[in-house]
Amino acid sequence: MQEHIKSIEEKIEELNRKREKIQLGGGQERIDKQHAGGSLTARERIAVLLDQDSFLESGLFAEHRCTNFGMQGKPMPADGVVTGAGSVDGRLVHLACQDFTVGGGSAGEVHCRKIVQMMQASLKTGSPFIVVNDSGGARIQEGIESLSGYGQVFYNNVMLSGVVPQISLICGPCAGGAAYSPALTDFIIQTRSACMFITGPSVIKAVTGEEVTAEEIGGPSAQMNISGVVHFVAEDDRDAMAICRRLLSFLPSNNLEDPPKWDAEEVILPDKYLNSIIPVDSRQSYDVRDVVARLVDRADFMEVQEHFARNIVIGFARIQGRSVGIVANQPSVMAGVLDIDASDKAARFIRFCNAFNIPLVTLVDVPGFLPGVEQEYGGIIRHGAKMLFAYSAATVPKITVVMRKAYGGAYLAMCSKDLDADRVISWPTAEIAVMGAEGAVDVIFRNEIRKADDPKAKRQELIAEYKESFSTPYAAASAMKVDDVIEPAETRRYLAMSLDILHSKREFRPQKKHGLIPL
């Protein structure tokens, strides 16, 4: 009997059948279950994230090689992860999106190899790498090969670090060793229904006896508000993709490029509202985000880690179309003091901005570092030093605005002239001193106050004299620690002009493998 040779039409038809079957993932029943849980499938997430019709898939026909524990011949379409390249707002990105409908998105040898290939492609092309996590964890049936795969992902996370932006989206479970890959990336976006932890509730109960839920230890509230692991919380998958797209709009594709520049206003007019936006009385609080909104384009500020260490505010914005990183003390929370968490939060953000050529704008209203036994035992010296290190090591344009309080070591840590700030300006309301007038007078004039006929009146008199002499911007300006004292209304214009002037800044540092930040 003569062998039938398939025609090209038959071969193409076979190809299309295979593709359709694989693209269905774990099948319609599992897709329906994913939808019922309020989640999109892997391919739906990619379609929402990327520009229309821009996705070019890689590794569609990849299959596992495991033969243990009933895995031989068991189909795992695309091995549980969809990988490829596409564009966001016309700019190239590479991505990997775990498919929970296929084996619970479990990660094995081939699964991890697909992710690593996209990471390496990202590195070669200088494009951001995005990974969507939705996985039950390591594929236990593959044993050491699964662990090895994770190790290769971690290694490549480090290779990409500081070269291309890395963004992790947690849209489902992310447990055990799998959680360390997002931790190695630059930003983590977690949906409200997702959980991320190293050890789950059952393990914790078995080891420590503590009873907790997955939400309590791994939900977005825990990982944003308490641990500070997560940078953005999304309502659902679509919101997570929108946050990711917005974040990318502020970032360059790699460390050799500048961030995208948007159109700028033709003329910047003085903003008189800034003259009265903060209380003159340094004991009164205000929300520094109101100041930020008046300084940046279209009041568009993308705050990072909004609910963690709220005594400091960080995030991205634009000034005359140029991306900037904002670091600002928050007087409405703990009077804006620097503590352990605030120092870590700011230092990490400063280092990211420096790695990706994003100028830093620092808004200062800080009474000092938080005193207390708990802070000292927790290592406030080591953590506070991270800010000193991060700002000192940064070579991007650094512009500092001293709005009100700027006391002691915290004044230095908020990018003072002595940490090589390129421009330091002050508002007339600034109080730049070693410490607040009340504390300084109690130390310097202790004996004089005690001997006075009316100690209380004498103390107030000395406080007023101290403020007049030292708690002003003019003493610092006379010593050239402040470049100029300006009317608050002129701040946006000053920042825009300074960013233009400093855009071509080049700074060279001593040759070394890397500095040793106090971790």
Side-chain angles (χ1 to χ4, degrees), residues 5-20:
I5 300 175
K6 293 180 181 178
S7 66
I8 185 62
E9 288 79 11
E10 289 175 311
K11 288 179 179 288
I12 291 172
E13 186 179 341
E14 180 185 22
L15 167 65
N16 290 334
R17 281 198 306 270
K18 286 180 177 290
R19 295 178 75 91
E20 287 174 8

Side-chain angles (χ1 to χ4, degrees), residues 490-508:
E490 297 289 344
T491 307
R492 176 168 158 78
R493 178 173 176 271
Y494 188 100
L495 292 174
M497 292 179 68
S498 297
L499 288 168
D500 277 341
I501 291 167
L502 293 167
H503 178 63
S504 59
K505 174 188 174 185
R506 294 292 180 268
E507 191 167 333
F508 301 97

Side-chain angles (χ1 to χ4, degrees), residues 197-466:
F197 44 70
I198 297 299
T199 52
S202 58
V203 175
I204 289 175
K205 183 177 181 181
V207 174
T208 71
E210 297 171 283
E211 291 194 14
V212 292
T213 65
E215 170 67 22
E216 287 173 334
I217 59 167
S221 294
Q223 297 295 3
M224 164 69 90
N225 304 6
I226 302 171
S227 72
V229 170
V230 167
H231 299 86
F232 302 97
V233 174
E235 294 302 318
D236 53 27
D237 288 354
R238 291 183 184 277
D239 188 35
M241 305 305 149
I243 292 171
C244 184
R245 289 180 66 95
R246 185 183 177 206
L247 176 59
L248 285 168
S249 75
F250 292 99
L251 312 181
S253 293
N254 56 68
N255 65 336
L256 299 180
E257 296 181 6
D258 287 330
K261 189 174 186 302
W262 288 25
D263 293 336
E265 297 176 27
E266 291 185 9
V267 179
I268 299 178
L269 299 174
D271 183 359
K272 294 295 183 180
Y273 183 75
L274 282 170
N275 289 345
S276 58
I277 198 167
I278 67 172
V280 175
D281 184 350
S282 61
R283 293 169 295 184
Q284 287 187 289
S285 69
Y286 62 93
D287 191 334
V288 76
R289 292 173 295 188
D290 295 336
V291 178
V292 173
R294 307 298 295 206
L295 297 178
V296 304
D297 297 355
R298 293 176 286 276
D300 181 19
F301 177 55
M302 187 174 195
E303 187 171 354
V304 177
Q305 290 183 298
E306 179 182 358
H307 300 293
F308 175 68
R310 295 186 303 115
N311 42 320
I312 201 159
V313 171
I314 60 173
F316 297 105
R318 294 180 185 85
I319 297 177
Q320 282 298 81
R322 295 189 189 280
S323 286
V324 295
I326 303 286
V327 180
N329 303 116
Q330 177 57 290
S332 66
V333 179
M334 297 165 59
V337 295
L338 294 177
D339 63 356
I340 288 171
D341 286 344
S343 299
D344 286 356
K345 174 181 172 179
R348 189 175 191 271
F349 181 72
I350 293 161
R351 286 172 68 80
F352 175 85
C353 290
N354 188 54
F356 290 103
N357 312 313
I358 301 171
L360 289 159
V361 174
T362 305
L363 305 179
V364 184
D365 190 347
V366 62
F369 283 97
L370 181 64
V373 174
E374 185 179 347
Q375 288 289 304
E376 295 295 341
Y377 284 178
I380 183 61
I381 297 172
R382 170 167 46 90
H383 291 274
K386 293 178 187 180
M387 284 190 68
L388 297 168
F389 190 105
Y391 269 128
S392 298
T395 58
V396 293
K398 297 180 286 191
I399 306 171
T400 300
V401 181
V402 184
M403 301 181 299
R404 206 170 59 171
K405 298 186 295 294
Y407 296 157
Y411 149 69
L412 296 174
M414 290 299 293
C415 202
S416 66
K417 198 75 172 175
D418 302 290
L419 298 193
D420 204 31
D422 298 292
R423 297 283 187 276
V424 178
I425 58 171
S426 174
W427 290 359
T429 47
E431 300 175 11
I432 304 172
V434 174
M435 61 195 304
E438 289 80 0
V441 164
D442 289 342
V443 172
I444 300 170
F445 302 107
R446 181 171 58 248
N447 291 332
E448 192 172 337
I449 293 171
R450 190 178 69 247
K451 294 175 182 177
D453 294 335
D454 187 345
K456 186 176 292 186
K458 185 63 176 177
R459 182 174 182 270
Q460 291 304 315
E461 176 189 333
L462 291 170
I463 287 172
E465 287 180 11
Y466 184 93

Side-chain angles (χ1 to χ4, degrees), residues 94 116-127:
H94 282 80
V116 166
Q117 282 185 354
M118 287 305 100
M119 298 172 86
Q120 292 173 345
S122 176
L123 196 60
K124 290 176 183 177
T125 58
S127 55

